[in-house]
Structures are given as structure tokens and as C-alpha cells.
Amino acid sequence: MGQSRPTLAAVAREAGVSKATVSKVLNRRGDVAAPTRARVEGVIAALGYVPSTGRRVHDVPPTVTVLFDAFVNLYSAQVLSGVVAAGTEQGVDVVVTQLPNGHDARSLGPAWFAGLADKGHLGVIVVTTELRPEQVRACADADLALVAIDPVSLDPATSEELVSVSATNWAGGLQATEHLLDLGHRRIGFAGGAPASRPARQRLHGHLAALGGRGLSREDALVHQDGFAYEDGLAMATRLLGLDDPPTAIVAGCDASALGVMEAARRQGLRLPEDLSIVGFDDTYAAAWTSPQLTTVRQPMREMGRVALRTLLSTHNGQRPETHHFELATTLVVRSSTAPPGR
């Protein structure tokens, strides 16, 4: 049998450098010292290394992988548009992938990350997906830069290693509820994301802080945490509006679930906003397309994508990030789905 084809890892090991440095040499990047470049090029020639694509890596732009847990929502589309815009500015290609149905990040082992490195990818941007410490370590072992956008959770073991980008979710929950309180609402339902989601927990805590600031305590019957999907909003609102003393307003965990809340209200013959006020979260394109138009908390999703891409590139180039956890400010966008209570 013939010898196996040399890998990027073998070149890195023989040259005494990281796989990221080998990728930089192959891509003719300027941030490699001349002696190091010469040593790596000598090893490439001696081993006869050819990239797995069969083409010289420098024939194509540097590449970043964006991994989604699900890509069938407007939030994902707007985040990705920011990543792609920043990639275009920086001359970086963006490859999008999604976890297979029924899988989570635990299914991504060291071989998956090593495969990306062998293809010459610079790093991975992970969106709304749980990352366990072993995934963070596997990415680092593959010499890939890693940035998480709206991570589901931050494990204490990796919180100072993983760079994350999110919005000020606690402040957003506070803004949404204070707006309803200022309109005169006192029975306010909360239809949020699943408790396992860090952004969902932060939004709920902001909501409860706003209630507490007005002397109102939490009422468990008014708090539901099913998820961020349209169907979740529909189910939660159906339960909330079926109470003997239903809420006059509902804060939804995101715009998609807010649409479900709207549908539940319509099925019960309620007028919006005369009988029920609704606030969403995200300010996706759909917020301005609903009838009535949705009052919502805007998180700067495109800018989150831009920050993630720029931070990943700087990390790949050996620069330390200004902070490990970027939080971009939210703002309340008032439209016509909220009004003073009418009953």
C-alpha cells in the first residue's frame, strides 16, 4: 500500500508551528515572520503536501464557518447578513452549516473541528447553540478561532476562554415591561424562551426587575417559558388568556413567538391593542409587517454578526479581544401593538 497523503497537521508538527500558521503561509498572509515562512514552505515541499481541495489554498479567500442550531428564522438571517457583510469587507468567505436534526453541539467531536482546520478554515462562529467545554477545547486544539453569538449557556469552565457576542438581554426585558407599566398595565404575562437558554433567562430577570421596581411581585401563573418558536408563543398565550383573570399585556421572548401570541389573541376574538398589548424582542423584518405593527425590543443583530466576524479574525491573528463577552445595547421600538389597557 502507498503512503497516506501528508496532512496540514503533519506539516505543522514537522515545522514546529500551529496549523493556523501553516494556513497563513498557504494563504500568503503577510503576518508571518520571514524565517517561519521559509521553514514552513520547506516542510511543505519536503512532504509534498497538497491541500485536500486539490488546489492551492491561496487560490481562494480565507474561510470562516458559521454554525447554526436552526436556520429557519428571521433572527438567523439578520445575524448572518452581518457576518457576510463583514466578511466581504475583510475578504473572507463565509460557509454556513447547521446541526443535523436531533443533534446538538455534543455531536461535534475533535474530528469535525480538525476537518475544518485541514481545509484551511480560520475559525468557527457558533450561533444560539450550546457549547460544552470539550467542544471549546477541541476547537482550540485544532487551532481554530471561536466566537459564539447568543450562546445558550456559558459554562464556568470555559467562560474566560470562549468569546461571546450578545445583546443586553436583561436591559431589553426591563425596557419591554417598563413600557407596558408606563401605559398603565399591571397584569402582564411573560411568554419567554426555554429556561435552559441564557438569553431567555436574562430577559425574564429584566421583566421581573421592572415589576419589582413598581412594587409588583412575580405571579407564577403569568410566567411561561416554552421556547422561541411561533408555536411556543401560540401555546403560552392560549394558557395565559385562558386564566380567570387574564393579562392585559404580554411580553414575548422574541418576535416569532410574539406572532404566535397575536394569533392566540385573534382566536379568542380579542382586539389588538385595545384588548391586549404585545411586545416582542429582536426587531426582525416581520415586526413591521404585522397588523398591528409590533412594538419590540431591537437587538442589533447585523452588528452582532459583524462584531463576531471581526473579533474572530483578530483572535486568529493572535490579538487578545477587548473583552470575552461583548454586549451590544438594545433599544425599545414603539409601534402600534401596545396601548393603555382597555378593560
Side-chain angles (χ1 to χ4, degrees), residues 222-275:
L222 293 177
V223 176
H224 294 274
Q225 296 175 272
D226 289 9
F228 287 127
Y230 171 91
E231 295 78 10
D232 297 322
L234 177 60
M236 288 184 284
T238 298
R239 297 197 298 271
L240 287 167
L241 297 175
L243 295 172
D244 291 338
D245 187 10
T248 61
I250 294 177
V251 174
C254 68
D255 288 353
S257 58
L259 299 183
V261 173
M262 286 183 161
E263 177 59 21
R266 291 192 181 98
R267 290 183 184 184
Q268 297 204 20
L270 299 178
R271 299 169 301 160
L272 305 175
E274 293 86 354
D275 298 326

Side-chain angles (χ1 to χ4, degrees), residues 10 25 87 90 95-96 100-101 127 135 142 171 212 243 254 258 272 278 286 316:
V25 172
Q90 301 292 329
V95 173
V96 181
N101 289 336
V127 186
Q135 272 77 47
L243 295 172
C254 68
L272 305 175
I278 301 172
H316 170 76

Side-chain angles (χ1 to χ4, degrees), residues 27-300:
N27 283 292
R28 295 179 176 174
R29 295 281 297 275
D31 52 346
V32 179
T36 301
R37 182 183 302 278
R39 184 167 74 253
V40 171
E41 288 176 341
V43 172
I44 290 173
L47 295 182
Y49 171 74
V50 177
S52 58
T53 58
R55 296 186 297 171
R56 296 289 295 175
V57 175
H58 62 252
D59 290 338
V60 297
T63 304
V64 168
T65 294
V66 183
L67 173 67
F68 289 90
D69 61 339
F71 190 65
V72 288
N73 58 62
L74 289 171
Y75 164 90
S76 298
Q78 290 185 236
V79 168
L80 179 60
S81 70
V83 175
V84 171
T88 300
E89 295 167 0
Q90 301 292 329
V92 174
D93 277 352
V94 175
V95 173
V96 181
T97 188
Q98 180 179 340
L99 289 173
N101 289 336
H103 292 72
D104 57 25
R106 286 173 290 187
S107 65
L108 303 178
W112 187 82
F113 292 102
L116 294 181
D118 284 343
K119 293 175 183 176
H121 288 205
L122 306 184
V124 184
I125 296 174
V126 178
V127 186
T128 62
T129 300
E130 180 179 8
L131 277 177
R132 300 172 68 84
E134 53 265 33
Q135 272 77 47
V136 177
R137 287 192 290 269
C139 196
D141 290 342
D143 288 319
L144 293 170
L146 176 64
V147 176
I149 297 178
D150 266 347
V152 171
S153 61
L154 284 176
D155 192 292
T158 57
S159 63
E160 292 307 315
E161 301 174 30
L162 178 64
V163 178
S164 67
V165 180
S166 61
T168 51
N169 289 293
W170 184 91
L174 183 82
Q175 290 167 324
T177 304
E178 284 190 336
H179 169 64
L180 294 171
L181 290 167
D182 290 342
L183 289 172
H185 294 276
R186 291 299 177 265
R187 285 193 63 75
I188 303 173
F190 186 85
S197 165
R198 180 171 175 265
R201 293 195 305 272
Q202 292 174 328
R203 293 170 196 180
L204 173 60
H205 294 161
H207 165 74
L208 296 176
L211 294 179
R214 303 294 177 93
L216 301 174
S217 58
R218 170 174 176 161
E219 186 175 332
D220 288 343
L222 293 177
V223 176
H224 294 274
Q225 296 175 272
D226 289 9
F228 287 127
Y230 171 91
E231 295 78 10
D232 297 322
L234 177 60
M236 288 184 284
T238 298
R239 297 197 298 271
L240 287 167
L241 297 175
L243 295 172
D244 291 338
D245 187 10
T248 61
I250 294 177
V251 174
C254 68
D255 288 353
S257 58
L259 299 183
V261 173
M262 286 183 161
E263 177 59 21
R266 291 192 181 98
R267 290 183 184 184
Q268 297 204 20
L270 299 178
R271 299 169 301 160
L272 305 175
E274 293 86 354
D275 298 326
L276 181 72
S277 287
I278 301 172
V279 181
F281 203 109
D282 285 338
D283 197 28
T284 56
Y285 302 124
W289 299 343
T290 61
S291 180
Q293 291 184 320
L294 183 64
T295 294
T296 189
V297 175
R298 175 184 294 156
Q299 58 172 335

